[in-house]
């Protein structure tokens, strides 16, 4: 269906008794009188106008739905860009937070894990162990 460009509820029924519509009335007048022809033309116009009004309302609803969808897409895109910029800013401030973690199996034997005896004893007892004892410098210093 074609798209309406104006609201049909603002249109007025034309005056079918005027001379402009004389040719149309002459074609339809063979079985009816002039008043019946005018009334028939007016009825046809009213039906067509009502159809256009329904189409206009549907068109307005579709336009509103499209506008709402477009606004939500713009909102989601803005939100996604903001999150990406915050993540990028966090990566710049905390580069160690985002270092890659190697994908390898966990050591299954405790002797494969390098830890000093005193730090291991603290782990067994459930005490706090500073990160320093897990590094190469801590292992060398504790030996």
């Amino acid at each position: 269906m074609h798209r309406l460009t104006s609201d049909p509820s603002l249109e007025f029924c034309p005056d079918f008794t005027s001379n402009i519509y004389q040719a149309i009335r002459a074609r339809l007048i063979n079985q009816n009188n002039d008043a019946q022809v005018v009334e028939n033309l007016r009825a046809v116009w009213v039906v067509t106008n009502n159809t256009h009004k329904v189409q206009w309302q549907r068109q307005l609803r579709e336009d509103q739905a499209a506008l709402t969808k477009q606004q939500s897409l713009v909102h989601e895109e803005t939100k996604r860009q903001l999150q990406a910029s915050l993540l990028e800013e966090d990566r710049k401030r905390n580069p160690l937070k985002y270092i890659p973690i190697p994908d390898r199996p966990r050591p299954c034997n405790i002797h494969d894990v390098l830890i000093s005896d005193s730090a291991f004893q603290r782990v067994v007892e459930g005490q706090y162990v500073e990160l320093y004892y897990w590094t190469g410098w801590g292992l060398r210093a504790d030996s």
Side-chain angles (χ1 to χ4, degrees):
M1 213 180 256
H2 70 282
R3 187 162 173 80
L4 298 178
T5 56
S6 65
D7 187 357
S9 62
L10 301 176
E11 296 176 3
F12 294 103
C13 182
D15 181 17
F16 291 111
T17 60
S18 65
N19 291 334
I20 299 171
Y21 297 101
Q22 179 63 35
I24 296 172
R25 286 195 321 262
R27 287 185 182 170
L28 300 174
I29 208 160
N30 32 356
Q31 286 123 15
N32 301 326
N33 62 21
D34 198 34
Q36 288 174 333
V37 170
V38 169
E39 191 57 39
N40 289 342
L41 288 173
R42 187 172 291 125
V44 169
W45 182 89
V46 167
V47 169
T48 305
N49 192 15
N50 288 339
T51 305
H52 285 162
K53 286 178 185 178
V54 170
Q55 180 183 354
W56 179 257
Q57 291 301 321
R58 182 176 55 237
Q59 188 173 304
L60 289 177
R61 282 193 307 271
E62 290 171 357
D63 291 348
Q64 184 62 36
L67 180 64
T68 304
K69 184 178 180 180
Q70 181 67 24
Q71 287 175 343
S72 68
L73 289 175
V74 167
H75 177 69
E76 290 296 322
E77 180 63 23
T78 305
K79 187 177 171 183
R80 187 193 61 75
Q81 287 177 353
L82 178 63
Q83 287 176 345
S85 66
L86 290 176
L87 179 63
E88 187 62 33
E89 185 179 317
D90 193 41
R91 282 180 187 249
K92 288 179 182 177
R93 273 190 278 135
N94 304 316
L96 294 178
K97 184 178 176 182
Y98 297 98
I99 59 173
I101 298 173
D103 187 22
R104 58 178 172 228
R106 185 180 61 161
C108 55
N109 189 352
I110 192 64
H111 300 294
D112 293 340
V113 179
L114 299 175
I115 186 171
S116 65
D117 292 333
S118 61
F120 179 69
Q121 188 59 35
R122 284 182 169 178
V123 169
V124 169
E125 293 174 2
Q127 296 178 355
Y128 174 74
V129 180
E130 294 180 16
L131 187 60
Y132 171 76
Y133 291 105
W134 297 88
T135 64
W137 298 299
L139 289 171
R140 285 190 291 274
D142 201 26
S143 320

